Amino acid sequence: MDLDGQIARLKSGQQLTEEEVKTLCEKAREVLSSESNVREVSCPVTICGDVHGQFYDLIELFRIGGDVPDTNYLFMGDYVDRGYYSVETVSLLLALKVRYPNRITILRGNHESRQITQVYGFYDECLRKYASPAVWTYFTDLFDYLPLTGLVENQIFCLHGGLSPQVETLDYIRAMDRIQEVPHEGAMCDLLWSDPDDRRGWNVSPRGAGFNFGQDISEQFNQANSLTLISRAHQLIMEGYNWSHERNVVTIFSAPNYCYRCGNQGGILELDDMLNYSFLQYDPAPRPEGFHKIPRAPDYFL
């Protein structure tokens, strides 16, 4: 496997062949299988939110934040759907993961699922680019192996969505069986779907999955697990990042001009050796030639 060659090709906007995707997913499964449900990460590290198939904005993210392996990264899920380049985006992130397993952490988002990708674009994109659903199957089978959460220096808890009424400790998450399709309910579902809320306690989520959780819940969870911060993604943020729950929670969103029309900035969070943090905000990358001619995935609702 010529990973460096594949990474160079992917960065130039080329696709891998179907056979290369199959092999890459097999190698990635080997790497991810050994990782805990709570993946431990050292600083310095740069934490990123949703990317959603916006490949050229991912390249811009690396231009601003630094390339792997010079910069360590933790991505909090949602690599596919919505954008036009989910195939290239997830291929590049997986190739970097296999090439530099200790330099990049990729967590699972609610869109890393068979069901969601059949509605929001990734399945159709795989079919269009490879004329067969095989590549979609390789990727979605692999998604079952992505870790659910990350833990930076035992202090910053990273995950795609949010907290769950079933989960009081990190050890509970460590003991979960993650190798499955994202369930419709329960702890694993909540970690990938929940959102922080201004109301106290647990409330029904308008998303139809997960919960909305209040500041009292965040404070209690952080205190019980000796954490300083919950870092999560999952929600469009116009400035790219947003503090909530009196800085017990930060939301990071790394897809600028989401869906190519929302007008938001992208954001990433840089943590140095001493866990000092700084946010970087960025605008969308210039679109490539012929961009507007690409068939659009259905919008449904944002």
Side-chain angles (χ1 to χ4, degrees), residues 84-96:
Y84 299 153
Y85 301 96
S86 293
V87 164
E88 292 83 351
T89 299
V90 75
S91 297
L92 177 57
L93 288 171
L94 286 177
L96 290 169

Side-chain angles (χ1 to χ4, degrees), residues 127-170:
L127 222 51
R128 193 168 67 242
K129 290 178 176 174
Y130 290 96
S132 136
V135 163
W136 174 81
T137 303
Y138 300 145
F139 282 128
T140 51
D141 285 352
L142 176 74
F143 291 161
D144 290 347
Y145 290 84
L146 291 168
L148 302 175
T149 68
L151 183 62
V152 180
E153 299 290 351
N154 290 313
Q155 290 180 57
I156 299 174
F157 181 53
C158 303
L159 74 172
H160 182 69
L163 301 180
S164 168
Q166 293 183 21
V167 176
E168 293 181 359
T169 66
L170 299 184

Side-chain angles (χ1 to χ4, degrees), residues 69-88:
D70 306 324
T71 303
N72 301 323
Y73 282 96
L74 191 162
F75 284 87
M76 298 185 292
D78 279 15
Y79 314 113
V80 299
D81 288 337
R82 308 286 197 194
Y84 299 153
Y85 301 96
S86 293
V87 164
E88 292 83 351

